Amino acid sequence: MMKNKNYEIEHFEYFQELRGTKEEILYFKTERQMFRNEPIGLDFFSFLLFERGGGTHTIDGVAYEINSKQLHIVFPGQLHHWDIWAGTKSHTVFVSGRLFKAFENFFIYPIEYCKKNPVMNLSTRIFQEMLREFRGIDRELAFKQGMKEIIFSKFRIIALMFNREVLGKLKRKKKGKLEPLLTRFSLLLLAFCREHRSVKYYADKLGVSANYLNVFCRKHLDMNANAFIAKEVVNVIMSELLSTDKSIKQVAVDLNFNDLAGFSNYFKRHNGLSPLQFLEHSGMQEVEE
């Protein structure tokens, strides 16, 4: 760890060395009391799933009470410290900052929204579903012939579960017409983004104008409707590229793109990398385009 101005930075490489691995997704299980009074920064992303216990977890100056069946998320660049009581049991997944840059689109809602809402209370059923994926990552990492595709797909599933819980949280609020519209838009995207990418298609389904949907998204998501649609389309593309044996060309066909060039340009415009560069950046090897 290094001093950076007034706080320390915790580096992902430290945990790789601790585990004697070069993997960019790591799993840890903790069952002990822990205390840190001074904030520490991260250069990586973390999911913390609390199975039982209590205490406080302070993220960017806001103290959150730790409870059983709870998910906490901390993004690269955030500061946190903690007072974790004895008897607390937690499961943690760390993702390197480099890999997270490729995966951050897995979060449907803007990162700033997630940073302001970093703690999620889970039902017993959802907790058990998430715990199964956390343990699945652990098993795959421990397997000598473990596959990155499986590890990445499990991280994607955890992110999808988080997105689903955010949707449910917004739906339960039911304050005016804004949250229901966002919920409906998100659900339509999950259902139809493989076939449809136009703002007009979703606006018609929602019973609003394309202009209204754009204004709504800019106001509440800090992006226009097209960018919000593109986030989920890119999520699906990344998931298909990483967790299936489909060629890039087959993924393009399955997602209703007219040609490979248009598919590659769309992905690069919204993700910064071509599909092939994304695979290489993620440590995957793609032989056939």
Side-chain angles (χ1 to χ4, degrees), residues 20-272:
T21 183
K22 292 295 184 181
E23 294 287 350
E24 296 198 66
I25 295 183
L26 301 174
Y27 165 90
F28 293 89
K29 181 173 71 173
T30 306
E31 293 186 74
R32 61 186 175 89
Q33 184 177 11
M34 294 189 294
F35 176 79
R36 182 181 177 87
N37 189 45
E38 295 297 323
I40 189 169
L42 304 179
D43 74 350
F44 55 91
F45 172 85
S46 64
F47 269 133
L48 297 91
L49 187 65
F50 289 95
E51 186 169 350
R52 65 169 186 264
T56 56
H57 184 197
T58 302
I59 305 171
D60 282 349
V62 180
Y64 299 92
E65 182 179 349
I66 296 171
N67 289 301
S68 300
K69 301 182 182 65
Q70 203 174 57
L71 180 72
H72 294 211
I73 56 175
V74 184
F75 290 87
Q78 288 193 286
L79 299 176
H80 72 144
H81 58 98
W82 51 85
D83 180 6
I84 299 176
W85 299 346
T88 299
K89 183 176 182 180
S90 64
H91 307 264
T92 305
V93 168
F94 292 157
V95 180
S96 73
R98 185 185 76 87
L99 189 60
F100 184 71
K101 286 181 180 179
F103 283 179
E104 63 183 358
N105 260 8
F106 281 177
F107 295 89
I108 293 176
Y109 296 94
I111 297 301
E112 287 306 312
Y113 174 88
C114 297
K115 285 181 178 180
K116 293 177 182 177
N117 298 271
V119 174
M120 185 75 67
N121 293 307
L122 307 172
S123 68
T124 298
R125 180 178 66 84
I126 299 303
F127 170 79
Q128 291 297 336
E129 289 179 1
M130 281 200 177
L131 181 59
R132 183 167 58 248
E133 302 305 326
F134 274 69
R135 287 174 171 166
I137 290 174
D138 181 35
R139 286 193 299 271
E140 200 62 28
L141 286 170
F143 187 44
K144 290 183 179 179
Q145 295 179 329
M147 298 177 65
K148 286 185 171 65
E149 296 98 322
I150 295 175
I151 296 170
F152 292 166
S153 66
K154 289 185 177 299
F155 177 74
R156 164 69 165 151
I157 290 170
I158 295 169
L160 281 171
M161 288 181 182
F162 174 80
N163 291 333
R164 182 178 62 187
E165 291 304 294
V166 172
L167 282 172
K169 185 177 180 180
L170 289 173
K171 190 173 182 179
R172 287 191 295 272
K173 284 184 178 180
K174 291 186 176 180
K175 294 181 179 178
K177 298 180 180 180
L178 298 180
E179 288 82 359
L181 179 61
L182 181 57
T183 300
R184 288 166 55 211
F185 187 16
S186 298
L187 291 174
L188 284 171
L189 272 177
L190 291 173
F192 299 110
C193 73
R194 287 174 173 271
E195 295 84 23
H196 301 283
R197 297 183 295 277
S198 75
V199 175
K200 185 179 185 305
Y201 175 84
Y202 293 100
D204 289 346
K205 285 278 188 181
L206 292 166
V208 299
S209 69
N211 183 61
Y212 178 86
L213 192 58
N214 271 316
V215 171
F216 170 83
C217 287
R218 287 194 187 96
K219 181 177 180 180
H220 297 283
L221 298 172
D222 296 322
M223 64 178 74
N224 61 28
N226 187 62
F228 190 53
I229 292 167
K231 279 178 68 70
E232 185 55 27
V233 174
V234 168
N235 284 344
V236 172
I237 293 171
M238 290 193 297
S239 182
E240 291 284 297
L241 291 173
L242 293 175
S243 61
T244 72
D245 58 1
K246 295 177 183 177
S247 67
I248 294 175
K249 183 177 181 180
Q250 185 58 53
V251 174
V253 171
D254 289 350
L255 268 76
N256 203 31
F257 282 85
N258 293 327
D259 54 65
L260 184 58
F263 171 77
S264 295
N265 288 336
Y266 181 92
F267 187 81
K268 186 170 186 177
R269 184 165 68 251
H270 296 290
N271 195 49

